[in-house]
């Protein structure tokens, strides 16, 4: 697969959730775990090993990068690595969210419609 196609390939659900967790502010690993759990109302609990494999894949696809922005020193731990969306990551996340929204609306309209024999 070419580098361009690899960056634009559909996101796996866990990749989508990870990018969504970065949509507002840069976060470190544990912050990502917490944000994904909050966004999914606790239905998805990322394990650290899974998260870091996802982070590597997304970084290779140039959808996220290590952030230069850090909290104030008294609120920070220098051992943490903070991640941020890249411009491409934000573009891909937006496109994927729009597509999922359209598919969801379509499915919901069909399941709410009575089926007659």
């Amino acid at each position: 697969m070419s580098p361009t196609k690899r960056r634009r390939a559909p996101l796996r659900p866990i990749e989508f959730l990870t990018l969504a967790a970065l949509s507002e502010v840069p976060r470190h690993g544990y912050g990502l775990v917490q944000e994904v759990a909050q966004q999914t109302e606790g239905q998805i609990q990322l394990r650290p090993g899974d998260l870091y494999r996802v982070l590597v894949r997304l970084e290779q696809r140039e959808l996220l990068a290590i952030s230069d922005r850090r909290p104030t020193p008294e609120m920070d731990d220098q051992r943490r690595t903070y991640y941020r969306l890249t411009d491409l990551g934000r573009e891909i996340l937006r496109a994927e969210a729009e597509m999922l929204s359209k598919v969801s609306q379509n499915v919901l309209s069909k399941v709410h419609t009575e089926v007659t024999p």
Side-chain angles (χ1 to χ4, degrees):
M1 183 180 296
S2 75
T4 302
K5 284 187 179 181
R6 189 177 323 118
R7 286 197 315 260
R8 299 206 189 283
L11 296 172
R12 297 174 184 179
I14 196 65
E15 293 170 340
F16 177 80
L17 291 169
T18 301
L19 292 178
L22 291 169
S23 62
E24 293 182 300
V25 296
R27 297 183 193 278
H28 54 77
Y30 184 63
L32 287 166
V33 168
Q34 291 177 312
E35 183 66 15
V36 167
Q38 182 179 341
Q39 286 184 0
T40 63
E41 298 178 344
Q43 292 184 25
I44 297 179
Q45 300 289 326
L46 288 176
R47 295 179 303 203
D50 295 333
L51 172 65
Y52 287 102
R53 280 190 292 279
V54 169
L55 292 173
V56 167
R57 272 197 316 267
L58 293 172
E59 190 171 17
Q60 288 172 343
R61 290 175 63 183
E62 300 174 359
L63 302 181
L64 63 75
I66 294 175
S67 177
D68 294 333
R69 288 183 45 204
R70 299 189 72 86
T72 59
E74 58 273 359
M75 299 294 292
D76 194 15
D77 180 339
Q78 289 299 320
R79 297 172 292 181
R80 291 179 175 155
T81 301
Y82 286 79
Y83 299 91
R84 64 171 178 80
L85 283 179
T86 61
D87 290 342
L88 177 62
R90 189 168 299 282
E91 176 186 325
I92 297 291
L93 177 62
R94 182 180 303 114
E96 191 88 2
E98 288 172 356
M99 184 271 303
L100 289 171
S101 177
K102 288 176 186 174
V103 169
S104 295
Q105 289 171 6
N106 189 22
V107 169
L108 288 171
S109 71
K110 289 177 182 179
V111 298
H112 289 306
T113 304
E114 281 189 42
V115 178
T116 54

